[in-house]
Amino acid sequence: MLFVLLLSSLIASAIADEKARALPKLTDVDAVESFIDAAEVVVIGFFQMEVWAKYSITTDTISIFRKADLHQENLQLSETKKLDSDGLTRFFQINELHYITEYNPVTAVGLFNSDVKTHLLLFVNRGAADFTELKERLGALAPEYTGQFLFVLVNGALKSNARSLGYFGLKSRDLPKVGIYDGNSDRAWLLPPGEISTERVREFCESFLNGTLQEQEDTKQDSKTEL
């Protein structure tokens, strides 16, 4: 039988809830595909041979499906020495990447383990007047760049995020800002000062994808070297 868990923002409480016994049951590939399409992140427990081949499953497995980077992360039960609620919750939390994921020590593991190595970062202080608006604005833009960028929110009001801000030469008082970090080259760029609009952020993303952002930075570095 195929048991399914739908992940939203409160995975841990969902697991602990006794209502988990009444989880929906999916019996064929069409039902699984429809369920995966219904949310940004879903978790599926595969315990039935009929649908294993479709998702490259060979044994009893709990899988997370993410739209943010079109990724499937598998936890094979046969290879897990001990599977308790804490370990399962951590597996969910690490791999629960959304169209815009808030950065913290747990989500950082999933972010940097993703095959998508380029991050579009929104640096903003939680509690600021424009916090929610900016988060929603970039979250709505993120689906356009599935598989190209991971959109990440960094709360500048947290002292634990000071190192992330410092990498971009920022402090909490400088926010909000938008930046791009490319893990493949370990390089970073900031959106030039101005309104953080959907159009400007889209242009910023496109300038990275077509290489003009990198070329501009290389030109600046060459000019400094000549001086």
Side-chain angles (χ1 to χ4, degrees):
M1 190 173 292
L2 181 62
F3 296 93
V4 185
L5 293 172
L6 173 60
L7 258 190
S8 59
S9 58
L10 299 177
I11 303 171
S13 61
I15 296 172
D17 196 333
E18 291 184 0
K19 294 180 181 179
R21 293 180 231 172
L23 293 171
K25 301 172 183 178
L26 308 179
T27 58
D28 55 45
V29 171
D30 289 342
V32 174
E33 290 180 341
S34 296
F35 194 80
I36 291 173
D37 288 340
E40 287 184 36
V41 182
V42 299
V43 177
I44 298 178
F46 289 96
F47 303 105
Q48 186 181 53
M49 282 294 287
E50 292 179 15
V51 296
W52 282 5
K54 169 70 176 180
Y55 298 101
S56 301
I57 302 296
T58 58
T59 185
D60 289 352
T61 300
I62 296 175
S63 298
I64 291 180
F65 295 84
R66 304 189 301 237
K67 289 186 177 179
D69 57 355
L70 302 176
H71 181 70
Q72 173 184 341
E73 186 70 24
N74 296 324
L75 177 64
Q76 293 188 349
L77 303 186
S78 62
E79 297 181 1
T80 303
K81 294 181 180 179
K82 180 182 179 182
L83 185 62
D84 55 20
S85 59
D86 290 340
L88 194 57
T89 297
R90 181 171 175 78
F91 172 71
F92 292 157
Q93 291 175 332
I94 287 174
N95 293 289
E96 187 191 13
L97 303 185
H98 290 268
Y99 280 131
I100 183 163
T101 302
E102 184 160 351
Y103 181 88
N104 60 51
V106 177
T107 61
V109 178
L111 287 167
F112 286 103
N113 282 342
S114 172
D115 290 338
V116 179
K117 300 302 183 184
T118 307
H119 299 170
L120 188 288
L121 300 108
L122 169 62
F123 297 98
V124 62
N125 296 319
R126 183 179 292 278
D130 53 357
F131 177 88
T132 300
E133 180 183 355
L134 288 174
K135 180 181 178 181
E136 291 178 351
R137 187 179 301 170
L138 267 68
L141 180 63
E144 294 184 24
Y145 293 98
T146 298
Q148 297 173 306
F149 290 94
L150 291 178
F151 279 53
V152 184
L153 184 150
V154 181
N155 178 12
L158 292 178
K159 291 183 179 180
S160 58
N161 287 334
R163 183 176 180 182
S164 298
L165 269 67
Y167 186 85
F168 284 80
L170 298 172
K171 295 186 179 297
S172 180
R173 63 174 178 268
D174 302 322
L175 308 186
K177 295 288 186 181
V178 169
I180 287 176
Y181 171 74
D182 178 35
N184 292 316
S185 62
D186 194 25
R187 298 175 67 183
W189 300 264
L190 280 173
L191 178 71
E195 181 187 5
I196 301 177
S197 65
T198 300
E199 292 75 17
R200 292 192 72 229
V201 175
R202 183 183 287 112
E203 290 174 359
F204 188 45
C205 292
E206 292 298 328
S207 69
F208 174 85
L209 293 176
N210 63 32
T212 58
L213 187 62
Q214 298 90 318
E215 291 173 2
Q216 291 171 359
E217 184 65 23
D218 291 340
T219 299
K220 291 179 182 178
Q221 293 300 324
D222 290 342
S223 297
K224 290 181 181 179
T225 300
E226 291 176 1
L227 291 176

